[in-house]
Amino acid sequence: LGALSKRPNPAFSGVHRVIAARALERRLIPMLEEEIRLELKERADEEALRFLAQHLRRVLLTDPHTRRSATAGLHVDPKGDWVIAVLDPDGSPVGEPLQVAVGDRSVEELGADLAALAERKIEAMALANGKTSRAVLIKLRKAFAAAKLDCFCFLVSDAGLASYANSEVARKELADMSVHVRMAISSARRLQDPLRELLKVDPRHMGLGPQQGLVSKANVKRVFSDVIESCVSYVGCDLNLAPAVQLAHLPGLDAAMAEKLVARRAERPFERLEEL
């Protein structure tokens, strides 16, 4: 009431109360409600972006398999059969992929097929985490035991695995491989060096959470870019060995500059900082 008049006349106090009530209901509350909703939306967006950033960072900084040895990746095709690809310690495919028909076969029969891997001397096998991966992992370990193969089996993240296998990057990198073989190769690489392999996947396709669709795409892209750059900087890399996709995410570099560095080191390796 004091806002309506400095010295209100008591005779008009009833009118003043009605005016004040209508001003509050029709003017002040709608204006404040909009501002409060906007502030709550900003707080919710900030929390959603914080969650997505933490989730992405946790995925990218997954511990690698530290032993330098041959590694295999296994992918289960739609028929339930196993597609196995063997990689050397540097992540390059070795030999032809192994196709293992599963069906109703016993673990002894599956082990007989897996015995072909003995001469490749693999010490670890990666299987992408999924709906049926736990059951497959149990059967796989029993098959290795039946074949008397000393091989450890691990579950790795399947975030964006199918997206990568069907992407232009995968078609260029593994041109003569089928989609199922690419997924097996990527699974093995995610065990060897998770960060290097996951950098090939667009973070938007990693299924980091439903919050991704509730906030601004521009903000999500900015946060993902900052997290990737932070993770790559935290881990670091060998300039003479790191792929272009990893170099491109280092602070101060982009894709074009990374390609120039790769072309330069192909001629002769970098030996001094001055050369860089």
Side-chain angles (χ1 to χ4, degrees), residues 91-212:
S92 300
V94 177
E96 294 295 324
L98 178 64
Q99 306 281 341
V100 179
V102 179
D104 297 328
R105 302 172 67 197
S106 65
V107 292
E108 289 75 15
E109 293 173 323
L110 295 175
D113 289 348
L114 294 177
L117 298 173
E119 58 186 32
R120 304 196 192 187
K121 298 180 180 180
I122 63 171
E123 296 185 3
M125 177 171 287
L127 171 65
N129 192 15
K131 295 181 180 179
T132 61
S133 58
R134 298 288 177 177
V136 174
L137 187 63
I138 294 174
K139 182 179 289 188
L140 180 63
R141 286 173 173 166
K142 290 181 179 179
F144 274 126
K148 298 181 179 180
L149 293 177
D150 187 14
C151 180
F152 294 95
C153 303
F154 299 90
L155 287 178
V156 296
S157 171
D158 65 342
L161 183 61
S163 174
Y164 162 74
N166 290 279
S167 68
E168 184 65 28
V169 175
R171 287 195 293 269
K172 181 179 179 181
E173 183 181 13
L174 305 169
D176 56 342
M177 305 288 185
S178 68
V179 173
H180 299 309
V181 176
R182 292 173 192 165
M183 296 178 76
I185 292 175
S186 184
S187 297
R189 288 175 175 174
R190 292 176 183 217
L191 179 62
Q192 291 178 321
D193 193 338
L195 176 62
R196 179 181 297 189
E197 187 64 16
L198 289 171
L199 288 177
K200 303 173 184 177
V201 182
D202 189 331
R204 295 175 298 176
H205 301 157
M206 287 187 178
L208 298 174
Q211 296 84 353
Q212 187 172 327

Side-chain angles (χ1 to χ4, degrees), residues 2-14:
L4 298 176
S5 176
K6 294 182 178 180
R7 297 177 181 179
N9 190 332
F12 300 102
S13 59

Side-chain angles (χ1 to χ4, degrees), residues 40-56 208-216 219-220 222-224 227:
L40 292 177
K41 178 65 167 60
E42 290 175 350
R43 290 183 183 179
D45 286 354
E46 183 178 350
E47 179 64 20
L49 291 172
R50 185 189 65 82
F51 169 81
L52 292 172
Q54 288 183 345
H55 194 177
L56 177 59
L208 298 174
Q211 296 84 353
Q212 187 172 327
L214 302 177
V215 295
S216 168
N219 287 336
V220 171
R222 173 184 55 78
V223 168
F224 284 169
V227 172

Side-chain angles (χ1 to χ4, degrees), residues 221-242:
K221 184 178 180 179
R222 173 184 55 78
V223 168
F224 284 169
S225 177
D226 291 345
V227 172
I228 292 174
E229 184 175 291
S230 172
C231 291
V232 174
S233 301
Y234 176 77
V235 173
C237 65
D238 187 329
L239 181 60
N240 290 318
L241 298 176

Side-chain angles (χ1 to χ4, degrees), residues 63-79:
D63 291 337
H65 183 60
T66 55
R67 298 189 64 176
R68 296 285 295 174
S69 59
T71 305
L74 184 147
H75 172 67
V76 183
D77 67 15
K79 296 181 180 179

